[in-house]
Amino acid sequence: MALRDCVERWFFSPTCSGCGWPGAWWCSECQRSLVRVADCHPRCVRCDGLAPKPSAVCADCVDWPAALIAARALFLYRGPVRAALHRAKYRGERRRMEELASELGRASPEILAPWRSDLTCVVPIPLHPLRRRERGFNQSAILAKAVAGQLDIPLHDQLQRTRDTASQVGRTRSQRWANVAGAFVWSGSPLHGTVLLIDDTITTGATVAAGTTALVRAGASAVVVLAFARATEQF
C-alpha cells in the first residue's frame, strides 16, 4: 500500500460523502436523500433505465452487445451520490472509495440474485496506467474487490485499457461510444461462463459495452454489469 494510502487510512476522519459534514460517511440528511435504483419504477429489466413497462428492453440499451445481458446499479447518480464519487475520484480519497465499495458489496447479493449462481468471476473496468498513477487508485477495482469478497468468487484484473481515452463527462451519447470503442483488451487466461463487470457509474453504457466486447473475445459467454451509480436524465 502506498505511503499516502496508509496515512489517509489512519488519519482521514470520516466526513459526509454528500455534504462534507464531519463525523460520519453519510450525515442523516444526505442518507435520507439517497435514491436506490431498485425503488424507481418502471425500469428496463436489462439496463435498469426507465421503460414504458418493466418487461421492456428500452431504447437506451437496444444497441448494447447481445452478451451484455443485464446492468444493475445501487443508487441514482445525483445529489449526495454524485458528490461522493467526485470526492473519492477527483480528490484522491481512497478511504472514502473503500466505504462506498463496502456499501455496494453488502448490497450485491440481493441485486445480483438472478445471476449469482452463474457468475464465474469479477472484473473491474480498468483505468489507463497514466490515469491510474495520477489518481492513485482505480475506483472500479476497489468496488470489484468488495463485491468479489462478498460473493466469494474470483477477482481477475487482466482487462486492460489500451489507450488513454478522454473523459466521458460532457460528451454526447455518440461521442461516448466512439471515445471508448476498441479501448479494452483481455490479457489473462481464457474466460468462461458469465462474467461480472464492475464500473463506478453507468450512463449510456458505452464503457461497459466496450469492456463486454473484450471479455466475449476472451471467452465469456455473457456479461452482467454492476455499478455503484446509474446516471440517467430519465429518473
Side-chain angles (χ1 to χ4, degrees):
M1 183 179 293
L3 176 60
R4 74 173 186 178
D5 294 336
C6 293
V7 171
E8 183 185 25
R9 180 176 294 276
W10 286 104
F11 296 104
F12 187 79
S13 299
T15 59
C16 176
S17 296
C19 67
W21 191 261
W25 296 111
W26 295 111
C27 72
S28 58
E29 183 174 350
C30 287
Q31 181 79 57
R32 286 193 298 270
S33 66
L34 300 177
V35 180
R36 290 181 176 254
V37 176
D39 294 333
C40 301
H41 300 285
R43 305 193 316 277
C44 171
V45 297
R46 186 188 190 195
C47 75
D48 251 3
L50 187 63
K53 55 183 179 179
S55 61
V57 173
C58 71
D60 278 354
C61 63
V62 69
D63 53 355
W64 286 9
L68 206 175
I69 59 175
R72 294 293 183 267
L74 179 56
F75 294 117
L76 291 188
Y77 182 72
R78 69 184 191 189
V81 170
R82 184 178 187 275
L85 287 172
H86 274 243
R87 289 174 188 272
K89 292 165 60 176
Y90 303 123
R91 298 184 186 180
E93 296 180 2
R94 182 189 183 103
R95 185 69 184 89
R96 189 181 305 282
M97 196 69 235
E98 291 173 344
E99 287 298 317
L100 302 181
S102 294
E103 287 192 73
L104 185 63
R106 289 191 295 271
S108 62
E110 180 180 357
I111 296 174
L112 298 170
W115 309 279
R116 185 174 179 180
S117 62
D118 298 325
L119 299 176
T120 57
C121 66
V122 180
V123 175
I125 286 288
L127 292 176
H128 188 273
L130 293 176
R131 191 71 59 88
R132 169 66 174 77
R133 286 195 293 270
E134 179 182 276
R135 183 167 295 168
F137 58 86
N138 174 11
Q139 68 279 359
S140 296
I142 293 175
L143 293 169
K145 181 179 179 181
V147 171
Q150 186 70 44
L151 298 179
D152 194 26
I153 55 178
L155 172 65
H156 298 315
D157 63 355
Q158 288 88 11
L159 186 62
Q160 297 181 342
R161 191 179 292 251
T162 58
R163 63 178 190 274
D164 189 14
T165 54
S167 172
Q168 296 282 65
V169 176
R171 293 177 179 269
T172 65
R173 182 181 179 86
S174 60
Q175 288 172 337
R176 285 172 177 264
W177 282 74
N179 187 41
V180 295
F184 301 103
V185 64
W186 181 256
S187 64
S189 301
L191 297 168
H192 68 281
T194 302
V195 173
L196 179 61
L197 183 60
I198 304 293
D199 203 0
D200 61 301
T201 308
I202 302 170
T203 305
T204 65
T207 300
V208 293
T212 293
T213 299
L215 296 177
V216 169
R217 288 174 177 167
S221 59
V223 174
V224 172
V225 171
L226 178 64
F228 185 79
R230 179 69 157 88
T232 173
E233 296 178 355
Q234 295 173 314
F235 285 111

